[in-house]
Amino acid sequence: MSQVFNTIIERDTYGSILYAVLGGLLLLSIYHLVLFFQNRDKSYLLYSFYTFFSFLAYIPVAEGGFLFDLSKYFNLDFRSKQFFTIIFNCLYFLFFVQFLRVKKRSKKWHNIIVYPVFILITIATVTFLILKSGISDFYFDSFKGIFPYLIAFHTIISFYILTKVKNKLKYYIIFGGIMLFICSILGERSVREFPFLNLTVRMGDFIYFAGLVVENIAFSFALGHRQRMNYHEKVAYNRNLISEMKKNEELKDKINLQHQKRLLAENDRIKYQQEISALKLSILQNQMNPHFIFNALNSIKYYILEHDTENAVNYLTKFSQIIRTILVSSTVKEFTLDQELHTIKVYVDIENLRFTKKIDFNIVIDEQINSEKIKLPPMVLQTFIENAILHGVATLDHKKITINVLRKNQQLEIRISDNGVGRKEAAKNRSRRNNSSKSLGTKIADEMLKNYFGPESYKIKYYDLHKNDQPTGTMVVLEIPIP
């Protein structure tokens, strides 16, 4: 019976079996390569390589037909079969390590399985290239002779490690791997020619083909099992997701309700604060306006007492313009920078009427700044100009006041500089006049800026100007935010 079976394999069906197996291997290689591109799972790519190298290993066995011509064209011979056999045996280890996710369980176990495989592949490739280059066939033959024992030892170690891996799919891999390994080893010449076996080449190939079929069936079951596991995990995940989404919706509704309550309370608080700020600003403006009017009326009174009718009339004309501005400022919360600077210019014109030598007054605005877009509290700069005149340049022959408006990062910087006596001398003058208190107008301006911009959003800085260690004036710098 055994002799009849051998005859069937050797003579009648070997060619058909070979073509069927090789065709199946090529289809498996292409199929798993497609699965890799669909799922991006490296285990499919490695199995595709494994089956493709198995296909290459058995092309030289063909004795006729297309595969025979292909083997001759690419110069694939018995040595190529031995080399590709080594490679696909090594690739199988890389495949199941990736398929079973051994690295996630233990990096140490992963390295024990993988590193020796890379070493075997490297040695096989180098010795095969030496063989093909015609230098020597000793190295490849020597390595090929010990490879079955090395791979057998490594298989025992690897499968022992697999017994420690908690993955149900490992049993499919172990069973299929053992069957394929046994059948692959039996196909090796050094093994199949043992006296107690004495198998022919074709019979050894047939045994390997049978092991390959069993291994692929085992892998198919493993793949199906993993897909079922993935499906159940996906269903469980979706159920948990739906449950969590429902909880999140309930929590969202509760949070929204709380937010609505907080928002209403916050809106009421903000509205209350805005009303207080507006009221404070209005009170400050009402303080500022009488303060300015009082100073202007004093100047008119001065001209009347001096019987200077012409200047008194001119002063009243200018004063009517400024009063109109004050009336407007009393009804609004803010001026544009353009309005503010125009008001200051009118104010300086009024002050110049009482000086024999007029103030050299200049306004310089950076080209990047649109003065009609910048907003600030009305009449807030007037008090600084008033101080510059009253305490700085009033007693000088050459009076000079300059306003520079420029941009500094996200801040608007307004510099008011004069060539007056300086703050130290001005303080002495106030002391001699028994008036050591800080200007009421400056305090009001500071409060107006604080209420309009917020306490942390603006700055007022004072600098003493010097030349050769002598005071040459004062510079006030206001920093306010640009919208």
Side-chain angles (χ1 to χ4, degrees):
M1 185 66 179
S2 175
Q3 185 63 36
V4 174
F5 185 72
N6 287 341
T7 302
I8 293 173
I9 297 300
E10 294 281 344
R11 187 187 64 190
D12 300 330
T13 62
Y14 180 78
S16 300
I17 293 173
L18 176 65
Y19 270 84
V21 171
L22 291 179
L25 288 172
L26 185 60
L27 288 175
L28 284 172
S29 178
I30 296 171
Y31 173 69
H32 288 98
L33 186 63
V34 171
L35 287 179
F36 164 72
F37 286 115
Q38 288 179 344
N39 301 283
R40 297 296 173 181
D41 187 338
K42 289 182 181 178
S43 59
Y44 292 121
L45 180 64
L46 290 168
Y47 196 78
S48 175
F49 287 161
Y50 163 72
T51 51
F52 181 69
F53 276 94
S54 298
F55 168 76
L56 292 178
Y58 280 87
I59 288 178
V61 176
E63 298 175 352
F66 168 73
L67 292 179
F68 178 78
D69 296 335
L70 187 67
S71 176
K72 292 297 181 184
Y73 181 78
F74 287 104
N75 195 25
L76 300 177
D77 53 16
F78 183 69
R79 295 289 197 182
S80 301
K81 177 181 181 297
Q82 293 174 329
F83 171 69
F84 290 134
T85 301
I86 292 172
I87 297 299
F88 75 67
N89 274 283
C90 290
L91 285 173
Y92 188 76
F93 289 89
L94 302 181
F95 151 69
F96 75 68
V97 164
Q98 183 67 33
F99 182 75
L100 296 176
R101 310 285 192 268
V102 174
K103 192 173 184 178
K104 289 184 177 180
R105 180 68 178 85
S106 171
K107 190 174 182 180
K108 180 181 177 181
W109 292 352
H110 173 270
N111 293 340
I112 290 173
I113 297 174
V114 168
Y115 285 168
V117 169
F118 283 127
I119 293 171
L120 292 174
I121 291 175
T122 302
I123 295 173
T125 304
V126 171
T127 55
F128 182 70
L129 290 175
I130 293 173
L131 170 69
K132 283 295 183 180
S133 64
I135 297 174
S136 173
D137 58 358
F138 171 75
Y139 302 105
F140 183 74
D141 286 341
S142 299
F143 176 70
K144 179 181 65 66
I146 63 173
F147 176 75
Y149 305 101
L150 294 175
I151 202 71
F153 178 71
H154 191 59
T155 301
I156 294 170
I157 293 175
S158 300
F159 282 4
Y160 172 75
I161 290 174
L162 289 188
T163 60
K164 305 294 183 179
V165 176
K166 293 181 179 180
N167 191 327
K168 294 180 180 179
L169 301 177
K170 68 182 179 182
Y171 300 110
Y172 296 105
I173 300 300
I174 292 173
F175 173 74
I178 290 174
M179 295 300 297
L180 181 64
F181 174 74
I182 293 172
C183 294
S184 178
I185 293 299
L186 290 174
E188 284 291 319
R189 180 178 179 180
S190 57
V191 176
R192 62 181 168 78
E193 291 182 353
F194 284 153
F196 59 87
L197 291 175
N198 194 24
L199 300 174
T200 63
V201 175
R202 291 189 174 185
M203 194 63 191
D205 291 344
F206 177 79
I207 293 173
Y208 167 74
F209 296 155
L212 191 63
V213 171
V214 172
E215 185 272 337
N216 274 281
I217 292 173
F219 175 66
S220 298
F221 277 112
L223 182 62
H225 194 157
R226 188 165 79 173
Q227 288 176 339
R228 284 195 303 273
M229 289 169 62
N230 290 341
Y231 172 76
H232 290 308
E233 287 176 1
K234 187 176 180 179
V235 170
Y237 172 79
N238 288 336
R239 286 175 180 170
N240 291 334
L241 181 63
I242 292 170
S243 176
E244 289 298 322
M245 287 177 68
K246 288 180 179 179
K247 291 179 181 178
N248 288 342
E249 284 296 324
E250 293 174 359
L251 183 60
K252 181 182 175 182
D253 291 339
K254 291 179 181 178
I255 292 173
N256 285 340
L257 185 60
Q258 292 175 355
H259 282 176
Q260 287 175 0
K261 292 179 180 178
R262 290 175 183 173
L263 188 61
L264 289 173
E266 185 68 13
N267 286 340
D268 290 341
R269 185 182 66 83
I270 292 172
K271 186 177 178 182
Y272 177 68
Q273 287 182 343
Q274 287 175 340
E275 288 173 354
I276 291 176
S277 296
L279 182 60
K280 284 183 178 179
L281 191 59
S282 177
I283 291 170
L284 291 168
Q285 285 176 219
N286 290 334
Q287 286 178 324
M288 173 68 82
N289 296 341
H291 174 78
F292 170 72
I293 294 169
F294 174 77
N295 289 339
L297 289 175
N298 273 339
S299 296
I300 296 172
K301 177 184 176 182
Y302 168 80
Y303 288 119
I304 293 171
L305 292 174
E306 292 293 322
H307 303 288
D308 190 347
T309 308
E310 183 179 352
N311 277 330
V313 171
N314 288 336
Y315 209 118
L316 281 171
T317 303
K318 295 284 186 179
F319 185 64
S320 66
Q321 295 178 19
I322 207 79
I323 285 296
R324 187 181 302 111
T325 302
I326 291 172
L327 291 174
V328 171
S329 72
S330 300
T331 61
V332 296
K333 294 181 180 179
E334 58 191 19
F335 267 7
T336 64
L337 179 61
D338 188 63
Q339 289 175 302
E340 185 74 7
L341 294 176
H342 175 73
T343 302
I344 289 173
K345 191 174 184 307
V346 174
Y347 170 72
V348 173
D349 288 343
I350 292 174
E351 290 294 301
N352 270 332
L353 290 173
R354 67 187 180 91
F355 291 119
T356 305
K357 294 183 179 180
K358 295 184 178 182
I359 301 168
D360 181 7
F361 180 67
N362 293 290
I363 299 174
V364 181
I365 303 178
D366 193 325
E367 293 180 355
Q368 301 180 50
I369 295 170
N370 186 347
S371 59
E372 294 183 355
K373 297 291 185 181
I374 305 298
K375 302 292 181 67
L376 67 171
M379 303 289 290
V380 75
L381 300 181
Q382 181 271 335
T383 188
F384 298 104
I385 301 297
E386 178 187 331
N387 284 344
I389 295 172
L390 181 62
H391 304 298
V393 301
T395 59
L396 302 180
D397 290 336
H398 176 60
K399 307 174 181 65
K400 185 174 182 180
I401 298 176
T402 304
I403 298 179
N404 286 285
V405 183
L406 49 93
R407 181 174 188 142
K408 187 177 180 183
N409 298 326
Q410 292 302 313
Q411 294 289 109
L412 184 74
E413 198 170 87
I414 303 173
R415 299 178 179 177
I416 303 170
S417 55
D418 64 67
N419 66 335
V421 296
R423 290 193 298 163
K424 189 174 181 180
E425 186 64 27
K428 290 180 181 179
N429 293 337
R430 284 198 300 272
S431 178
R432 284 193 291 267
R433 292 195 299 266
N434 294 321
N435 182 15
S436 59
S437 62
K438 190 178 178 181
S439 168
L440 175 63
T442 304
K443 290 181 179 179
I444 295 173
D446 186 47
E447 287 297 321
M448 290 174 71
L449 290 168
K450 185 184 294 183
N451 278 279
Y452 186 82
F453 291 111
E456 303 297 329
S457 299
Y458 82 100
K459 291 180 182 178
I460 302 176
K461 301 176 182 178
Y462 297 88
Y463 299 94
D464 294 314
L465 305 178
H466 294 85
K467 185 175 182 181
N468 298 326
D469 294 330
Q470 296 296 319
T472 58
T474 305
M475 181 168 67
V476 181
V477 179
L478 278 75
E479 294 182 3
I480 61 175
I482 296 177

